[in-house]
Amino acid sequence: AHDLVTLPAAAEFALEYGAKLVYDAHELETERNPPLSRTQRLLVSYLEGKFGTKADLIITVGDMIAEEINSALNRSDVQVIYNARPIDAYVDRDVRTDEKPGR
């Protein structure tokens, strides 16, 4: 499921076809920008709770988001897949060529 918008359908298909459900949570859905109304936040929390707890695997882009999702869904297994190299990979490197300066 590519974000919460597709999670309910993906959960239904996974159940129907006996497939694994992977939820790719790109961000904290309740904290989206622009801010959600109270009603929207409640709906988002409900949907993520109902279907996210059924996911065989949840992945996200950062440790803090993973911690929040683990807490909200009473899980401990949300995995982090970074969408960029660690910042120390760019120290003393030319990011255009990926080489150390002066080479």
Side-chain angles (χ1 to χ4, degrees), residues 50-66:
K50 180 175 181 176
F51 298 106
T53 54
K54 297 177 182 179
D56 296 287
L57 174 67
I58 299 177
I59 59 176
T60 193
V61 298
D63 293 325
M64 292 179 73
I65 294 174

Side-chain angles (χ1 to χ4, degrees), residues 66-81:
E67 289 174 22
E68 290 293 326
I69 294 171
N70 274 327
S71 177
L73 300 182
N74 197 26
R75 296 179 70 121
S76 61
D77 61 344
V78 175
Q79 300 292 306
V80 175
I81 299 176

Side-chain angles (χ1 to χ4, degrees), residues 14-15 25 28 60 66 83:
L15 181 62
L28 291 175
T60 193
N83 59 4

Side-chain angles (χ1 to χ4, degrees), residues 10-55:
E12 191 169 316
F13 283 117
L15 181 62
E16 184 174 338
Y17 293 101
K20 299 284 186 182
L21 176 60
V22 177
Y23 174 28
D24 185 358
H26 299 145
E27 57 192 298
L28 291 175
E29 291 291 338
T30 57
E31 305 303 320
R32 293 184 72 97
N33 195 15
L36 301 176
S37 70
R38 184 176 191 286
T39 303
Q40 289 170 317
R41 285 174 62 120
L42 288 171
L43 177 61
V44 163
S45 293
Y46 168 77
L47 290 172
E48 194 165 56
K50 180 175 181 176
F51 298 106
T53 54
K54 297 177 182 179

